[in-house]
């Protein structure tokens, strides 16, 4: 009789084969070991009960699934412990580098042996079950049964939901509303959305899909529907509110090649931590990056400085906490740049290398354009552009015409790739083949001049720090060779002028030559292999459309190419963002509000709560309530939130333990892998007639079929021998997993491991979709939670990152030739200090001078996004947030901890009321408020919902047949976004940076009104 996988596991652990293979590696990684006698869990595992380790060895009715967390976006692995079909516990996945501080067990370790080890997770992952089983989850779709925003809904049958959204019509006639609502089919046309401006695209662009947390996998699935099947250009992400500011700096540094770099936590000697909350909320997570930094710091191998208006938890280990003024990171960085250049503390060998070959000869992974010449003659046709061979001699061969030019000596430039070294600091004239002169400067010279626009004393005054601090960090930063780097995150650049501030911070790493060097400023290594092509082509299908035109957010589109510009010139109605990283949900919402550059007809929001999550997002309540601006609104979400309160339909979705298939590649720094998220339990939502759980995937598939769109249904997934159907999410994702396994060349799983997957993983129900040999390789991958074949050392060739960038720039030509579409002014092509001004030129410091305090927000270590208000234990530990105030300010205002005050901004005279907490850990003149709190929905308020006890997961405990009963604790605390500054000259919409479309989280100033001087 064949042994089942349970017996095999117990035998293998008993024989201690695991200990023979990898005990030393596990001990070095600090991974605890577990025995077979771990106590059974009967419900959700409570942190109040002491346990040596989460149970991991198979026993009766217990399943184990390796997947990926989504408590935040750190992408750590999880080992889900499922008891009797119910998720009871998350532990760490020992195969995953993020659960093991970059030191996982060997990828080829048999799964049976791996179960004797685990890895670390943070408190957010511990709350996975509380999120999954929250009583305010939706199980069935809802249709509005009152006015938008009234909180009145009723259940709607799935088939009716699909029919109404597809076809439209008088959808709310029973409410006395005889409006003809658009259906998706009504926008399926090639006719221009504006006949007078055909460059804007077809009427299909009137369908707008705004995404919240959309990770790889689901993002591509949504793209397949929105862009490829329907043909709308408008699937807009939320990169802007997630941290576009620091990404814009890296985008500029790498000529739009990369957005994320971080200091190497394993080999850096010094880190400058700017706006990065590394012990509380960074990516990789606190149990990974933060723990590595803490360990090496305690061992004396690494020192770091924290730059932040609030003393983050990491400040306790930092060499220094620099309490910078909010929004002034650029002043600090430019002050450092000035000192570094003037004192010649830069890496001369790196900067003098004008091309890849010369840099490689010096031992570097990439080169810079520091020596490349820029045309500075306003009368020249290529003013502000880099000097090219054709500018010197128009007769050069075509294949050489675009070569950048450098000076070796004299005034006759040579192509950059012909020089071994070049002049670094030059300003003057060069001579063309015809004998004419062209005024030029090197990129380095332009950066130096930008830095010299202000003195060190002025930079220090702007940043609110002593001059000595700027000098001290500049000295320290330049005293470790290439083993010094910056870790910047959301706090840097998340404000007006943030693009150039973040660029300045990124340039610091180029000046010391640490970009993509071990111990330096590293990008991520990318995925292990492709998942959307290979055995199955998930990128193509018959009838695939190519979206065209301009996005509603105007991202990555030039105003100067529009009919509007040709007719009216500057200014545009709203800013355009040709240089941005993209994902501008704030400007998408503002575009919808102003019906610019065209009106929205149908809005889908997925896992997206703009009213709560955007600074000043409550401004959009009026937008979402307006039927002219949003004729039809469909929300796909797990609950009723502050934004879909205004939706016409709400489609229930899955939480990440039940779904959210994903192919998760590493954040910076360094590593190369693909973790795979799969369901760990069966879905809780109701099911369609064909057995699909209500979800994003089921909705889009059925809607596509009803609307007659290509790409879904029979014969839409090309394979090597045949075309396969796409009728469920698994038809797509499981074939993606098969592609990944084949392309990464993972071996076939043993019969033991196939048995393990088939006994434990809900995904195994769909194994019939694949060939047996494909399924066997998928089992190898699934059993380990992804593909983790390459170690930290594997991604380096000596000191250089094998998957790093090839070039960084001190002067970005594309940025330099971009204009502000409201003023017509050019952007600086180098890092530079910029005053916080609105796109129309309003200087906020002058406009808001009467408001005495800067307001900033931050994330806590047990919270992440808005959704973590459902983390039960986190809310017990920290039931509400506070207004953190420096003790000197408190003395001046005669306030003490427990006093209640109202904060008022120029844009919100009603303000928000919260409790003061006096501390030394925030800068004077600055108030800090934790995000996550102050909800008015998600269970915080009553709703009138027909048969509510059948619609919400909590049933009779939270609802009856007519209404939802609130849990008032969910609404405790305050949401600082509600008083964020709005742009008075742009229809009172949220502030955004004119270059990158960055939402402003740091420029709001407030007044304090005392409500009560005694604690409640």
């Amino acid at each position: 009789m064949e042994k089942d996988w349970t017996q095999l596991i117990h035998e293998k652990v008993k024989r201690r084969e695991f200990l023979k293979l990898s005990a030393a590696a596990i001990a070095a990684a600090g991974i605890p070991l577990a025995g077979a006698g771990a106590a059974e869990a009967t419900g959700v595992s409570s942190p109040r009960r002491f346990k040596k380790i989460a149970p991991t060895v198979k026993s009766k009715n217990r399943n184990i699934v390796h997947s990926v967390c989504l408590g935040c976006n750190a992408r750590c692995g999880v080992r889900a412990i499922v008891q009797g079909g119910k998720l009871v516990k998350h532990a760490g996945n020992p195969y995953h580098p993020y659960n093991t501080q970059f030191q996982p067990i060997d990828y080829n370790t048999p799964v049976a042996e791996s179960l004797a080890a685990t890895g670390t997770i943070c408190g957010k992952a511990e709350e996975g079950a509380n999120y999954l089983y929250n009583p305010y989850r939706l199980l069935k779709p809802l249709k509005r049964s009152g006015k938008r925003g009234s909180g009145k809904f009723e259940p709607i049958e799935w088939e009716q939901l699909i029919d109404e959204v597809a076809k439209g019509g008088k959808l709310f006639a029973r409410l006395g509303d005889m409006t003809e609502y658009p259906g998706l089919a009504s926008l399926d046309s090639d006719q221009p959305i504006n006949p007078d401006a055909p460059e804007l695209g077809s009427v299909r662009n009137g369908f707008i899909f705004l995404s919240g947390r959309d990770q790889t996998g689901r993002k591509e699935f949504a793209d397949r529907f929105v862009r490829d099947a329907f043909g709308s250009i408008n699937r807009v992400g939320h990169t802007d509110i997630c941290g576009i500011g620091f990404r814009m700096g890296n985008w500029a540094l790498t000529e739009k090649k990369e957005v994320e770099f971080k200091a190497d936590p394993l080999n850096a000697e010094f880190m400058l931590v700017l706006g990065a909350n590394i012990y509380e909320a960074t990516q990789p997570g606190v149990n990974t990056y933060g723990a590595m930094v803490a360990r090496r710091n305690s061992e004396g191998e690494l020192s770091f400085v924290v730059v932040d208006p609030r003393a983050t938890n990491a400040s306790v280990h930092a060499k220094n906490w620099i309490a910078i003024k909010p929004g002034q990171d650029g002043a600090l960085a430019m002050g450092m740049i000035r000192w570094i250049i003037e004192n010649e503390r830069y890496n001369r060998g790196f900067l003098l290398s004008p091309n890849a070959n010369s840099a490689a000869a010096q031992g570097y992974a990439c080169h810079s354009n520091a020596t490349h010449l820029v045309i500075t003659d306003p009368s020249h046709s290529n003013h502000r552009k880099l000097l090219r061979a054709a500018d010197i001699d128009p007769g050069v061969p075509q294949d050489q015409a675009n070569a950048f030019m450098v000076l070796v000596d004299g005034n006759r430039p040579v192509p950059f790739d012909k020089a071994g070294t070049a002049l670094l600091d030059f300003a003057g004239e060069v001579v063309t083949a015809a004998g004419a002169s062209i005024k030029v400067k090197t990129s380095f010279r332009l950066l130096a001049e930008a830095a010299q626009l202000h003195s060190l004393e002025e930079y220090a005054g702007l940043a609110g720090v002593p001059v000595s601090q700027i000098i001290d960090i500049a000295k320290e930063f330049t005293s470790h060779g290439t083993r010094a780097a910056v870790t910047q995150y959301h706090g840097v650049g998340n404000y007006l002028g943030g693009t150039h501030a973040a660029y300045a911070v990124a340039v610091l790493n180029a000046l010391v030559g640490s970009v993509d060097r071990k111990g330096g400023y590293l990008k991520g290594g990318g995925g292990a292999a492709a998942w959307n092509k290979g055995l199955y082509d998930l990128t193509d299908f018959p009838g695939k459309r190519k979206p065209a035109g301009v996005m509603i957010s105007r991202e990555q589109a030039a105003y100067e190419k529009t009919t509007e510009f040709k007719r009216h010139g500057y200014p545009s109605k709203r800013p355009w963002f040709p240089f941005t990283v993209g994902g501008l949900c704030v400007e998408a919402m503002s575009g919808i509000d102003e019906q610019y550059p065209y009106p929205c007809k149908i809005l889908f929001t997925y896992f997206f709560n703009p009213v709560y999550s955007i600074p000043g997002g409550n401004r959009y309540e009026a937008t979402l309530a307006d039927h002219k601006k949003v004729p039809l609104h469909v929300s796909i979400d797990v609950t009723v939130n502050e934004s879909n309160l205004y939706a016409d339909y709400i489609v229930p979705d899955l939480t990440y333990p039940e779904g959210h298939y994903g192919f998760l590649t590493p954040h910076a720094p360094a590593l190369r892998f693909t973790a795979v998220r799969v369901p760990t339990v069966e879905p809780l939502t109701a099911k369609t007639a064909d057995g699909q759980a209500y979800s994003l995937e089921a909705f889009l598939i059925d809607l596509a079929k009803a609307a007659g769109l290509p790409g879904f249904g029979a014969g839409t997934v090309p394979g090597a021998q045949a075309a396969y159907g796409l009728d469920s999410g698994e038809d797509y994702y499981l074939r993606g997993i098969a592609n990944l396994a084949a392309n990464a060349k993972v071996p076939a799983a043993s019969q033991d491991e196939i048995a393990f997957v088939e006994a434990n993983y809900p995904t195994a129900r769909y194994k019939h979709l694949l060939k047996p040999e494909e399924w066997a390789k998928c089992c190898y991958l699934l059993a380990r939670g992804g593909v983790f074949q390459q170690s930290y050392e594997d991604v380096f060739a000596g000191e250089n990152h094998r998957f790093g960038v090839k070039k960084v720039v001190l002067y970005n030509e594309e940025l330099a030739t971009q204009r502000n579409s409201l003023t017509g002014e050019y952007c600086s092509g180098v890092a530079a200090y910029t005053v916080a001004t609105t796109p129309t030129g309003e200087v906020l410091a002058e406009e808001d001078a009467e408001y005495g305090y800067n307001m900033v927000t931050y994330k806590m270590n047990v919270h992440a996004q808005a959704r973590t208000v459902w983390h039960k234990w986190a809310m017990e530990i920290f039931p509400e947030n506070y207004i953190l105030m420096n003790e000197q300010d408190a003395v001046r205002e005669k306030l003490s901890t427990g006093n209640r005050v109202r904060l008022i901004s120029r844009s919100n005279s009603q303000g928000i009321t919260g409790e003061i907490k006096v501390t030394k850990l925030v800068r004077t003149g600055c108030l800090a408020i934790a995000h996550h709190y102050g909800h008015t929905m998600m269970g915080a308020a009553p709703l009138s919902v027909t048969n509510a006890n059948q619609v919400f997961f909590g049933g009779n405990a939270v609802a009856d047949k007519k209404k939802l009963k609130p849990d008032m604790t969910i609404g405790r605390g305050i949401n600082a976004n509600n008083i964020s500054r709005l742009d008075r000259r742009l229809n009172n919409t949220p502030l955004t940076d004119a270059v990158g479309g960055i939402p402003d989280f740091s420029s709001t100033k407030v007044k304090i009104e005392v409500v009560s001087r005694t604690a409640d």
Side-chain angles (χ1 to χ4, degrees), residues 772-794:
E773 61 271 22
E774 295 169 358
W775 175 242
K777 290 189 175 185
C778 285
C779 286
Y780 194 94
L781 179 160
L782 291 170
R784 291 159 175 78
V787 180
F788 310 106
Q789 297 162 320
Q790 293 180 287
S791 69
Y792 169 86
E793 290 297 336
D794 289 337

Side-chain angles (χ1 to χ4, degrees), residues 210-552:
L210 301 183
S211 302
R213 173 59 61 218
D214 51 351
Q215 294 182 321
T216 301
R218 274 195 151 191
K219 180 179 67 164
E220 285 72 14
F221 193 93
D223 272 340
R224 185 182 182 97
F225 180 89
V226 178
R227 298 173 65 86
D228 302 337
F230 191 77
S232 171
I233 200 169
N234 280 312
R235 191 199 63 77
V236 186
H238 75 296
T239 305
D240 52 356
I241 60 173
C242 191
I244 192 175
F246 82 95
R247 290 179 169 93
M248 283 300 302
N250 294 324
W251 191 244
L253 179 72
T254 63
E255 293 186 305
K256 301 168 67 170
K257 299 296 191 302
E258 293 293 336
V259 297
E260 190 175 340
F261 291 77
K262 289 188 183 71
D264 179 359
L266 277 184
N267 281 290
E269 296 175 3
F270 178 74
M271 288 171 47
L272 184 58
V273 181
L274 290 105
N277 202 352
I278 61 174
Y279 284 13
E280 295 160 84
T282 195
Q283 302 168 356
V286 297
N287 52 296
T288 309
Y289 196 85
M292 294 164 75
V293 170
R295 175 176 56 80
R296 291 193 62 235
N297 175 263
S298 70
E299 294 168 355
E301 298 175 353
L302 167 68
S303 63
F304 62 94
V305 169
V306 168
V307 181
D308 201 291
R310 180 184 71 95
T312 66
N313 285 359
S315 301
V316 71
H317 291 155
K319 189 173 184 178
N320 198 359
W321 164 44
I322 297 179
I324 196 169
K325 286 182 181 178
Q328 297 299 325
D329 310 278
L332 178 74
M334 291 305 295
M336 290 178 65
I337 289 171
R338 174 167 184 153
W339 187 89
I340 290 169
I341 290 175
E342 289 181 345
N343 290 274
E344 297 187 0
R345 299 276 292 207
Y346 46 84
N347 187 328
R348 190 171 181 83
F350 174 72
L351 296 178
L352 284 174
S353 301
N355 57 62
N357 290 335
S358 59
Q362 296 278 338
Y364 295 101
C366 66
H367 72 284
S368 81
N369 75 346
T371 60
H372 296 194
L373 298 170
V374 180
I375 299 172
T376 58
D377 186 347
S379 64
H380 196 282
S381 60
N382 287 327
H383 177 226
R384 304 182 70 85
K385 292 185 178 182
L386 289 155
L387 183 73
R388 289 171 168 80
D391 295 312
I392 298 298
D393 184 0
V396 297
Q398 190 62 35
D399 61 347
Q400 300 174 25
N402 286 321
F404 303 117
M405 305 300 283
V406 297
L407 282 171
V408 176
D409 52 43
N411 62 357
R412 291 299 297 268
V414 299
F416 79 109
D417 53 355
K418 305 299 182 184
T421 186
L423 293 181
L424 181 62
D425 190 359
F426 177 83
E429 295 183 347
V430 295
V431 179
T432 69
S437 296
I438 304 175
K439 292 180 180 178
V440 296
K441 295 177 182 179
T442 59
S443 298
F444 179 86
R445 166 46 43 191
L446 289 171
L447 175 65
E449 289 179 356
Q452 291 164 358
L453 290 175
H454 298 280
S455 66
L456 279 184
E457 290 73 19
E458 288 170 332
Y459 284 127
L462 291 164
V465 302
V467 171
S468 60
Q469 282 193 333
I470 294 179
I471 295 173
D472 287 346
I473 13 177
K475 280 182 180 178
E476 182 77 23
F477 193 76
T478 55
S479 297
H480 299 272
T482 60
R483 300 219 167 192
V486 164
T487 287
Q488 58 169 322
Y489 206 66
H490 189 49
V492 172
N494 67 348
Y495 38 75
L496 300 179
T499 295
H500 284 87
Y503 190 12
V505 172
V507 160
L508 289 169
N509 304 279
L511 290 180
V512 296
S514 69
V515 178
D516 279 323
R517 297 271 291 178
K518 188 177 286 187
Y521 196 53
L522 299 174
K523 65 181 284 293
W531 64 270
N532 53 5
K533 282 190 174 184
L535 299 172
Y536 304 94
D537 190 348
L538 301 178
T539 67
D540 199 10
F541 52 82
K544 178 181 176 180
R545 288 167 172 156
K546 185 177 181 180
V550 173
M551 296 176 73
I552 190 74

